Amino acid sequence: MSHSFIGAIVSETNSFILCKQALGLLCNTLKDSSTVDMKHERRGLRISSTSSWIYLNENDLASLNRLCLEIVKLIDDSDTESNASLKLAAVSTLEVLTSRFPSNDSVFSMCLASVVENISLTNFALSSSCLRTTGALISVLGPRALSKLPFIMEHLLSFSRDVSSSVAAETRSGDDNTFIALSNSRESLFMAILVTLEAVVSNLGGFLNPYLGDILELVLLHPEYASRSDLKLKLKAGIVRKLIIEKIPVRLSLPPLLKIYSKAVKTGDSSLSITFEMLGNLVVTMDKSSIGAYHANIFELCLLALDLRRQHSVLIKTIDDVEKNVVNAIVNLTMKLTETMFKPLFIRSVEWSESNVEESEGAGSSNIDRAISFYGLVNKLAESHRSLFVPYFKYLLDGCVLHLTVAEDTEIGLTRKKKKAKLQVANSKKKDGNGALTIGMWHLRALVLLKPIVSLLATDPPTSLEEHPNIPSVQDFDDLLVACIGQMAVTAGTDLLWKPLNHEVLMQTRSEKVRSRVLGLRIVKYLVENLKEEYLVLLAETIPFLGELLEDIELPVKALAQEILKEMESMSGESLRQYL
């Protein structure tokens, strides 16, 4: 059936039914041809444009143009409620024509304005079709659609802002049938908004600067794209966010992304999470000049977000998920920084983690929240930077000692202040002429850190720990504690530390608590397995303790002591029971 024949029916008949049937026939025919072409492609057959029935000569192109103009007339003129179905058929036909006959001809540009103008709240089905057709037209026209961009964005953003409240209002006031109809159309409508936005960003991304703030609010804060459970909408919104990163220069996209933070906090944890996820992905794409210009601003925003745990906002339900994306953004940023850029930022974060202690004597609880966030960041930085991060641990030592010993203090804020002051005074007296720590002070620091860490073996876990699945379990905590103390000895590589460490651990095996005795033995076992023959210098002190533990009434303690004794005998090549 020729385009001129369809066009004649559309232009000359006054029958809405006949027009609608003709448009439906054309849509189905074009869709069927698309299906046939896809089947040929899957079979490896090539369809040349000259042999395909959709090849357009000059007469066909003229007929297509006339057909499109007649369809536009239907879209513009059929403005009554009784003609809404005809208008919907006309818009759907135009979408199919655009997809099957891509062209840069000006007729599609003329169609674009009419389609966009019919995006309204009066008819959700028609608006959804208009949005999809708008996206198809923009994809075909490319830069030729630039002249219509302000008109497109005005209608798109205005419609997207109004549609949610309208759907909610009509749902509350309607009956069950209305609710079902709105629920079914809502997904299609919000998906159509994303399809249009995807086409706009893909083809006109460099010209979206005036609208970026509104676009980011839409894809980051809108509940349908951030917090609702519809997977298809979330995936499509993720695609649009990715396109924004890829198609829009950092100098344009980053400033509005940084400004959206305060609104994201008010919207909730889902919006916050995807905001910092997008920020982290954007940082990965930044070049050297962009990093130099924006790294301080990005870091300060992330530091501000890390303080959310301390603020205990009722809007943030899953702070761990939010913090994970914030930390990831910081790590991505630090991977691109030079040492001269990174060092002041890291020192700034150390000062931030301790600022509550310095500003308020009664800030112990809030400072713990900051410390949790800060040391979570430190763990990720250590994992990512590995050996390059080792020199920065000197800035953490005093804070680690303070937090490890805080349980022993009755007046948390004041006592920690006094301890920090004493450590600073001691450190200033133990530096050489170049400002570096002396060998004695270095040794002292290792011992200062050792005692509070080993004291954790005797610390009782909270009774309600099972009610908080996001907090490390007792098993996780014990495994980390054993690995930490054991690795301290392995890394030290000298009996100057091995002897006091081994002694502190062995003393814990005389505790009345079974957990403390088991942990002490697990650490001894770690030392034996990793130091191997070098541990022999410590046997003389260890054997008497083992003799006591072999007679322990608790089976786990006794069994672990027997395993250690057997490994020691294998390593020394002689029986040690005579020394027990």
Side-chain angles (χ1 to χ4, degrees):
M1 185 177 293
S2 68
H3 308 114
S4 57
F5 179 67
I6 297 289
I9 295 177
V10 172
S11 61
E12 295 178 9
T13 184
N14 292 324
S15 172
F16 294 142
I17 296 177
L18 186 57
C19 283
K20 186 176 178 181
Q21 289 176 342
L23 292 172
L25 179 60
L26 179 58
C27 278
N28 292 333
T29 304
L30 292 172
K31 289 178 180 179
D32 290 342
S33 70
S34 176
T35 303
V36 171
D37 287 350
M38 291 176 62
K39 289 181 178 179
H40 283 303
E41 289 178 6
R42 284 198 295 266
R43 294 173 182 174
L45 300 177
R46 296 183 61 184
I47 307 298
S48 66
S49 60
T50 56
S51 63
S52 174
W53 76 275
I54 63 170
Y55 170 70
L56 299 181
N57 56 32
E58 292 183 4
N59 292 332
D60 292 332
L61 184 59
S63 298
L64 175 62
N65 290 346
R66 287 194 297 272
L67 175 62
C68 289
L69 292 176
E70 293 300 331
I71 291 175
V72 169
K73 287 182 181 180
L74 291 176
I75 296 172
D76 291 337
D77 296 339
S78 302
D79 54 359
T80 62
E81 187 64 28
S82 61
N83 297 336
S85 61
L86 178 58
K87 184 180 290 191
L88 177 59
V91 174
S92 300
T93 303
L94 189 58
E95 179 185 3
V96 177
L97 285 171
T98 304
S99 303
R100 293 298 290 158
F101 301 101
S103 169
N104 286 332
D105 195 87
S106 59
V107 67
F108 284 146
S109 181
M110 295 174 59
C111 298
L112 182 58
S114 296
V115 173
V116 172
E117 197 167 4
N118 280 275
I119 300 174
S120 69
L121 296 175
T122 57
N123 189 317
F124 284 167
L126 177 60
S127 295
S128 179
S129 183
C130 287
L131 285 166
R132 291 182 178 275
T133 304
T134 299
L137 288 168
I138 293 173
S139 297
V140 167
L141 292 171
R144 290 173 65 88
L146 180 59
S147 61
K148 301 291 190 300
L149 183 61
F151 184 67
I152 295 169
M153 295 308 300
E154 178 185 354
H155 279 72
L156 177 63
L157 294 173
S158 176
F159 179 74
S160 63
R161 282 192 293 264
D162 297 339
V163 67
S164 292
S165 57
S166 176
V167 170
E170 292 188 35
T171 302
R172 288 193 298 269
S173 62
D175 55 21
D176 292 340
N177 292 331
T178 302
F179 176 80
I180 295 172
L182 289 173
S183 298
N184 292 336
S185 64
R186 185 175 65 184
E187 179 183 343
S188 175
L189 191 62
F190 285 117
M191 181 62 75
I193 292 173
L194 290 177
V195 168
T196 306
L197 198 55
E198 180 182 9
V200 170
V201 175
S202 296
N203 294 276
L204 303 170
F207 306 98
L208 290 176
N209 189 34
Y211 317 104
L212 281 177
D214 292 324
I215 292 174
L216 288 173
E217 284 190 26
L218 178 60
V219 298
L220 293 174
L221 307 184
H222 199 291
E224 295 291 341
Y225 307 138
S227 58
R228 298 284 168 83
S229 58
D230 190 278
L231 182 59
K232 291 181 180 179
L233 287 177
K234 284 187 176 182
L235 291 175
K236 178 61 76 171
I239 291 173
V240 174
R241 290 191 290 267
K242 183 179 179 182
L243 279 173
I244 292 173
I245 294 173
E246 294 175 351
K247 298 291 185 179
I248 300 177
V250 172
R251 61 182 176 81
L252 299 180
S253 61
L254 184 59
L257 181 58
L258 297 179
K259 289 179 182 178
I260 209 171
Y261 170 76
S262 58
K263 293 181 179 179
V265 171
K266 296 176 182 178
T267 305
D269 44 7
S270 296
S271 291
L272 269 173
S273 292
I274 61 175
T275 296
F276 280 95
E277 179 184 5
M278 184 176 180
L279 179 60
N281 293 334
L282 180 62
V283 167
V284 173
T285 68
M286 293 172 65
D287 57 21
K288 186 176 180 180
S289 60
S290 298
I291 290 292
Y294 295 108
H295 73 278
N297 293 335
I298 296 173
F299 188 84
E300 285 299 324
L301 179 67
C302 292
L303 208 58
L304 184 63
L306 283 182
D307 209 29
L308 289 171
R309 182 184 292 273
R310 181 187 63 84
Q311 296 170 10
H312 299 289
S313 171
V314 295
L315 297 174
I316 310 300
K317 307 297 183 184
T318 55
I319 185 61
D320 292 308
D321 293 339
V322 174
E323 212 166 79
K324 178 181 178 181
N325 286 289
V326 176
V327 169
N328 184 62
I330 296 177
V331 171
N332 287 349
L333 176 65
T334 59
M335 297 297 286
K336 287 179 169 284
L337 299 180
T338 63
E339 184 178 1
T340 55
M341 292 178 178
F342 174 72
K343 185 176 180 179
L345 294 183
F346 183 72
I347 294 176
R348 165 80 177 91
S349 68
V350 175
E351 294 171 347
W352 166 84
S353 70
E354 299 174 349
S355 59
N356 265 10
V357 179
E358 296 173 356
E359 295 169 6
S360 172
E361 293 186 1
S365 175
S366 60
N367 192 75
I368 289 175
D369 288 325
R370 275 197 172 185
I372 291 172
S373 301
F374 173 69
Y375 284 101
L377 170 62
V378 168
N379 286 339
K380 291 299 180 182
L381 289 174
E383 289 177 10
S384 301
H385 294 277
R386 302 179 70 82
S387 61
L388 295 177
F389 190 68
V390 171
Y392 294 92
F393 275 98
K394 64 183 179 182
Y395 300 106
L396 305 174
L397 184 60
D398 292 346
C400 288
V401 173
L402 290 173
H403 286 293
L404 290 171
T405 57
V406 69
E408 301 172 6
D409 300 331
T410 54
E411 298 179 3
I412 295 174
L414 183 60
T415 305
R416 291 176 63 199
K417 272 188 165 184
K418 290 179 178 179
K419 285 189 174 183
K420 183 175 181 181
K422 289 179 180 179
L423 281 170
Q424 289 175 340
V425 171
N427 290 347
S428 64
K429 294 180 179 180
K430 297 294 183 178
K431 293 182 179 179
D432 58 24
N434 298 321
L437 292 177
T438 63
I439 296 297
M441 187 56 189
W442 183 263
H443 185 198
L444 177 60
R445 281 201 164 201
L447 296 178
V448 165
L449 190 58
L450 169 63
K451 202 170 187 70
I453 292 179
V454 174
S455 68
L456 294 176
L457 273 67
T459 302
D460 293 324
T463 55
S464 59
L465 195 58
E466 295 79 6
E467 301 173 7
H468 303 276
N470 294 327
I471 296 178
S473 64
V474 175
Q475 182 64 46
D476 293 335
F477 182 88
D478 289 350
D479 291 344
L480 286 172
L481 186 57
V482 171
C484 175
I485 297 176
Q487 195 58 40
M488 281 181 64
V490 174
T491 303
T494 172
D495 58 1
L496 289 177
L497 180 61
W498 294 342
K499 289 181 179 179
L501 186 152
N502 192 60
H503 176 75
E504 293 290 341
V505 171
L506 290 173
M507 291 302 295
Q508 294 296 328
T509 64
R510 288 178 173 170
S511 170
E512 295 180 356
K513 301 173 183 177
V514 176
R515 174 172 168 268
S516 299
R517 300 202 298 274
V518 170
L519 284 175
L521 284 171
R522 287 182 60 188
I523 295 171
V524 172
K525 190 173 188 294
Y526 188 103
L527 296 178
V528 171
E529 292 174 346
N530 288 273
L531 296 181
K532 298 186 183 303
E533 288 79 6
E534 292 180 304
Y535 189 82
L536 294 176
V537 297
L538 306 174
L539 284 183
E541 182 182 20
T542 304
I543 288 176
F545 286 88
L546 279 182
E548 298 173 7
L549 295 166
L550 287 171
E551 298 176 358
D552 199 284
I553 59 174
E554 297 293 338
L555 186 59
V557 176
K558 187 174 183 178
L560 193 51
Q562 289 173 342
E563 288 182 25
I564 295 173
L565 181 62
K566 187 178 296 184
E567 289 188 32
M568 287 180 174
E569 289 178 334
S570 175
M571 186 174 57
S572 63
E574 62 175 316
S575 175
L576 300 178
R577 294 186 179 273
Q578 56 182 320
Y579 303 111
L580 296 176

